[in-house]
Amino acid sequence: MAEPTGGRPLLQVEGVVKRFPIRRGVLRGAGAVHAVEGVDLAVGRGEVVSLVGESGSGKSTLGKCITGMIRPTAGRIHFDGVEVSGSSRGARGNFRRRVQPVFQDPRSSLDPRWAIERTIREPLDAFRIGNKAARAARVRELMDLVGLPAHLSQRKPSELSGGQQQRVAIAAALALEPDLLVADEPVSALDVSVQAQILNLLADLRQRLGLALLFIAHDLSVIEHISDRVAVMYLGRIVESGTVSEVFTDPRHPYTRALIDAIPRPDPTQRMSRTRLIGEIPSPVNPPSGCRFHPRCPVAIGVCSQDDPQQTTFSSQHRAACHVAAAQTASLSELPHERAWL
Amino acid sequence: MTTIERASTARPQWRTRFGGREGLIGWTILAVLILIAILAPVLAPHSSEAIDSTRIFAKPDLSHPFGSDDLGRDVFSRVLYAYRASLSIAIGSVLLAMIVGVPIGVFAGYVGGWADLVLMRAVDLLLAFPALLLAISLIAILGPGNAVALLAIAIIYVPIIARVVRSSVLVVRGQPYVLGARTRGASHWAIVRGHVLPNSAGPVLVQASVLMAFAIVIEAALSFLGLGSQPPTPELGLMLAEGNNYLTTAPWVEIFPGLAIAVTVLAFNLIGDGLRRSFDPHGVTR
């Protein structure tokens, strides 16, 4: 559904489903966690797409499917026109080089016993790129690229700050010159002041290397400035997608609206006219009938608990899956939202 | 990015590597004991097996600092020689158990699934046997002796080591740096060698040092039951067993081998504490 602006997308995700079977004791077959339920997503070359949603929305699972860490139960993932979900080893090997993950917590994504130079060099060693001297030069280049001073190269991760650790993780991810980085909450574990530095670094790398970025976050404020497009996930589905300006200024799905209202605005004069989300995300083992958001939705109508809403197109990029939004051309902003949600 | 000043740790690198003061003391004691075992023929003032009827139960004196036993043999010389058997059994049994147990644990933990299930049930089966009963059965089949005692203790240790290795491998396997290494193209072999083994070695080595200490005790127990070393071979457990009969009349026959065991166990325990400390990946030395 979400499509990049022009050209064949670098990454094309079609109808990806990931279910984790639940095993209780010796007997199996006690249902499944429906983590991702039929997601379509595309990322163009050099494009930054953000995937947002609260915990349990399946955004991280989708990210793992895309980096090949887990295999989707169904659906297809094409990378640069080649199918990589469940394809031959060779195709996956090449794909692995070109799609690299960046994890949330840099403390656990770096081997605590390895000097950072060795961590950055690991992918070069794995693919036997160049000789020893060439690899050492490449490591220096990568450290410079992510803004790490050369004298830190023999440090262990525990001797670095959180921001420096995340720079190391990004340098290691960049070693194989990937086309796409899948960053799963890369700044959530960092201090707010450091978050901005890492976000600027990612934006800068995109400019300099033409890198595409799939940015997974639960916080809209983090992604607002670096993304081209946004896809909002709820309980394994993409409920709304579009360009940043479309989604932020004209949200069509009530869930997106709630997320935007949850962004803290440092403006004391602004009245507290926020819509708040009440309650927890429902269990992905037994997702609600019809629209998965209807039990928490402030504008739900009868049909919402019956029929699963289809994606409605609002502009060339902007889509949302909501019966109410589809029924009215007017933006949801005209609806009263004093009422507590749910 | 701010640059942090080069961290200056007051204590020298080599000291931290050996695990602080405790570790250093433990390694020093062990080194001395190994030297004693190797140099026993040079260090011993008397023969370990020479019977001297004039010195039966003779009290400790300057030329016989640990006194003499029921056959008039020099206890000091016998203790020096006894370290050969005791240390080889303690170290050898644990090394042998690690050679077998570590690959089992790594394979079960890293591969998981059916391999894990099958291997761990086999290990449980072995673990279900009382340790001494297992050792005694083996000795009943193969006959008593140092080599058999070593083998018996190694078999007792295999399941313990395999379990410890497996559990720490399970933790490391789920770490993002292992998942990341996979997506960066590292082979399973490279991951096991580079990430899994070094990061799961800590608990195993600590366990190994404790097991070495315990091996001396098991071996003493086997010898006490007459199933370990056979007389007249000097061996600490055997000497303890023999001396037990004369504890009231000639306590030195019992006390000195006992102290020798205690010092060895202490050394292994100190090394274990030191290893625990130096394998803390975050380098927190308290």
Side-chain angles (χ1 to χ4, degrees), chain A residues 105-142:
Chain A
D105 182 7
R107 251 185 114 77
S108 57
S109 63
L110 305 176
D111 189 320
R113 314 192 64 80
W114 283 23
I116 62 170
E117 176 267 336
R118 190 174 171 198
T119 295
I120 300 172
R121 189 161 42 85
E122 182 179 39
L124 304 174
D125 290 340
F127 283 98
R128 297 194 174 79
I129 294 166
N131 56 23
K132 214 175 161 185
R135 287 177 203 172
R138 175 77 177 133
V139 169
R140 279 195 298 277
E141 190 185 314
L142 286 163

Side-chain angles (χ1 to χ4, degrees), chain A residues 49-71:
Chain A
V49 176
S50 288
L51 199 56
V52 292
E54 63 196 299
S55 308
S57 61
K59 56 193 194 303
S60 293
T61 304
L62 182 61
K64 283 180 185 166
C65 288
I66 290 168
T67 49
M69 278 187 267
I70 53 177
R71 282 188 168 206

Side-chain angles (χ1 to χ4, degrees), chain B residues 44 90 93 115 128 162 191 208 226 258:
Chain B
S93 62
I191 288 173

Side-chain angles (χ1 to χ4, degrees), chain A residues 100 107 111 113-114 122 164, chain B residues 1 184 194-195 199 282:
Chain A
Q100 288 293 319
R107 251 185 114 77
D111 189 320
R113 314 192 64 80
W114 283 23
E122 182 179 39
Q164 287 172 327
Chain B
M1 174 92 342
R184 271 166 229 143
H195 294 293
N199 282 293
H282 300 296

Side-chain angles (χ1 to χ4, degrees), chain A:
Chain A
M1 295 289 144
E3 267 151 31
T5 40
R8 188 175 64 178
L10 180 67
L11 174 79
Q12 179 106 45
V13 174
E14 286 171 351
V16 162
V17 174
K18 181 66 191 178
R19 295 197 181 107
F20 295 102
I22 301 168
R23 286 175 197 172
R24 290 214 179 95
V26 195
L27 301 165
R28 52 162 71 188
V33 174
H34 301 240
V36 178
E37 279 291 305
V39 163
D40 300 326
L41 184 75
V43 180
R45 283 177 196 284
E47 194 186 25
V48 179
V49 176
S50 288
L51 199 56
V52 292
E54 63 196 299
S55 308
S57 61
K59 56 193 194 303
S60 293
T61 304
L62 182 61
K64 283 180 185 166
C65 288
I66 290 168
T67 49
M69 278 187 267
I70 53 177
R71 282 188 168 206
T73 312
R76 287 193 303 272
I77 297 171
H78 290 272
F79 187 78
D80 209 6
V82 181
E83 178 164 359
V84 288
S85 45
S87 62
S88 69
R89 254 188 113 94
R92 278 214 313 278
N94 189 39
F95 155 72
R96 271 196 172 137
R97 286 179 65 158
R98 298 179 61 189
V99 178
Q100 288 293 319
V102 175
F103 297 97
Q104 174 176 0
D105 182 7
R107 251 185 114 77
S108 57
S109 63
L110 305 176
D111 189 320
R113 314 192 64 80
W114 283 23
I116 62 170
E117 176 267 336
R118 190 174 171 198
T119 295
I120 300 172
R121 189 161 42 85
E122 182 179 39
L124 304 174
D125 290 340
F127 283 98
R128 297 194 174 79
I129 294 166
N131 56 23
K132 214 175 161 185
R135 287 177 203 172
R138 175 77 177 133
V139 169
R140 279 195 298 277
E141 190 185 314
L142 286 163
M143 285 183 67
D144 186 51
L145 189 66
V146 299
L148 283 169
H151 73 265
L152 295 178
S153 67
Q154 291 310 314
R155 293 283 181 88
K156 298 281 168 63
S158 58
E159 296 164 330
L160 301 178
S161 70
Q164 287 172 327
Q165 289 173 354
Q166 196 59 294
R167 284 169 196 267
V168 174
I170 293 170
L174 292 175
L176 296 169
E177 299 178 327
D179 298 308
L180 174 68
L181 280 193
V182 177
D184 191 350
E185 308 230 11
V187 298
S188 306
L190 304 175
D191 291 340
V192 178
S193 56
V194 182
Q195 286 190 357
Q197 292 176 12
I198 296 295
L199 290 173
N200 288 339
L201 171 66
L202 289 171
D204 178 48
L205 290 171
R206 177 224 186 164
Q207 289 290 328
R208 285 160 70 179
L209 307 175
L211 199 65
L213 195 61
L214 182 64
F215 196 101
I216 301 172
H218 62 258
D219 181 355
L220 282 175
S221 63
V222 165
I223 56 137
E224 196 173 345
H225 300 290
I226 72 159
S227 316
D228 299 312
R229 287 187 304 118
V230 181
V232 180
M233 266 187 100
Y234 186 79
L235 266 186
R237 294 268 171 88
I238 289 181
V239 294
E240 180 158 4
S241 60
T243 64
V244 169
S245 60
E246 283 167 342
V247 172
F248 275 79
T249 58
D250 187 21
R252 297 300 176 119
H253 199 284
Y255 179 65
T256 314
R257 195 188 167 77
L259 287 183
I260 290 169
D261 281 349
I263 302 173
R265 303 278 179 196
D267 182 2
T269 60
Q270 194 183 17
R271 278 214 43 219
M272 289 288 289
S273 64
R274 287 183 177 168
T275 42
R276 297 183 306 276
L277 267 188
I278 292 176
E280 301 269 319
I281 195 163
S283 161
V285 180
N286 294 305
S289 62
C291 172
R292 291 166 169 239
F293 187 58
H294 87 265
R296 296 169 83 190
C297 185
V299 296
I301 51 176
V303 68
C304 295
S305 58
Q306 317 281 319
D307 294 341
D308 202 356
Q310 296 303 303
Q311 296 279 347
T312 310
T313 306
F314 296 97
S315 76
S316 67
Q317 300 290 319
H318 197 182
R319 271 144 227 224
C322 176
H323 291 299
V324 178
Q328 52 188 167
T329 34
S331 161
L332 272 169
S333 58
E334 284 158 33
L335 285 166
H337 50 259
E338 302 301 324
R339 183 180 150 191
W341 289 45
L342 183 94

Side-chain angles (χ1 to χ4, degrees), chain B residues 90-108:
Chain B
I91 298 171
S93 62
V94 173
L95 284 183
L96 188 62
M98 282 175 77
I99 288 169
V100 181
V102 170
I104 292 177
V106 169
F107 192 77

